[in-house]
Amino acid sequence: MVVPVKTLIAAKTRLAAHAGPHRAALAVAIACDTVSAALACPDVARVIVVTGDPVPAEALAAIGAHVVPDPEAGLNAALRAGGAEAVRLAPGGPVGALQADLPALRPAELSVVLDCATDFDQAFLPDAAEIGTTFYGVRPGVPFRPRFGGESRARHLGSGAKELTPDGVPSVRRDVDTPSDLEEALALGVGRYTAEVVTTMRGPSA
């Protein structure tokens, strides 16, 4: 599974006012919870993190991610670089991509999505808003051509990828960009890294 992680200066800017001085720590924590959950999924052989920032790189490597440098040519270029590394490490395996901002991610729900994806050459899962994409994957030997960013649901549909619609996978669809997204993720139940930072953000009186 390939997970792209932005440099901290560019990460979670829409949460800046909400998170204040904790924005960078929150971004790292969310990525750590996403990667931890993916690593705990029995259908995920490894997680390849693509990043150009040494801070999340160190944190994510410490929890078991295989970290490769970001070519610094945009989100999808980063994903393709990670996909190439995935093929190098396991030439006969499928390749998947997951957004790094899924702090409530449940391994069992990710398994459901991955199982559904095996029926198609290329497939994707839309985000909770049904505008973006949280997961994209291809079968072994199929070109890995992610189209993340902005209105990526429409782009993935236009590319011929199958839209997955399994029930009961809200944690795989709940990406976090805004304060309201974060509140919805908290309601689902976030991982320990995000929970710790949110507790610090809210202070002792929370």
Side-chain angles (χ1 to χ4, degrees):
M1 187 71 70
V2 181
V3 178
V5 176
K6 291 181 179 179
T7 57
L8 293 182
I9 195 169
K12 300 295 148 211
T13 53
R14 282 185 279 174
L15 285 169
H18 186 67
H22 305 290
R23 178 180 63 84
L26 181 62
V28 173
I30 288 172
C32 283
D33 281 326
T34 303
V35 169
S36 293
L39 286 167
C41 176
D43 299 302
V44 174
R46 66 187 55 81
V47 174
I48 298 170
V49 166
V50 186
T51 187
D53 193 313
V55 175
E58 181 178 359
L60 294 164
I63 61 175
H66 176 79
V67 181
V68 297
D70 190 333
E72 305 295 348
L75 174 59
N76 290 301
L79 286 164
R80 290 191 296 271
E85 179 70 355
V87 171
R88 186 187 73 80
L89 294 170
V95 180
L98 198 65
Q99 290 281 38
D101 57 354
L102 303 169
L105 184 63
R106 301 285 188 271
E109 292 183 18
L110 180 57
S111 283
V112 171
V113 174
L114 296 177
D115 183 61
C116 291
T118 62
D119 292 334
F120 308 100
D121 282 349
Q122 58 171 342
F124 74 97
L125 185 75
D127 63 10
E130 300 194 340
I131 295 171
T133 303
T134 57
F135 165 81
Y136 167 81
V138 297
R139 280 176 165 168
V142 176
F144 181 66
R145 294 171 178 162
R147 292 167 169 84
F148 283 82
E151 296 181 359
S152 58
R153 177 182 180 236
R155 289 197 299 277
H156 281 125
L157 281 170
S159 74
K162 173 65 177 180
E163 182 173 31
L164 303 176
T165 57
D167 292 327
V169 294
S171 76
V172 197
R173 299 185 65 193
R174 180 65 281 159
D175 56 342
V176 171
D177 289 312
T178 67
S180 62
D181 294 341
L182 179 59
E183 291 305 317
E184 289 181 21
L186 290 166
L188 288 172
V190 297
R192 68 180 184 90
Y193 297 100
T194 304
E196 288 173 5
V197 175
V198 169
T199 298
T200 301
M201 284 166 50
R202 291 179 170 175
S205 62

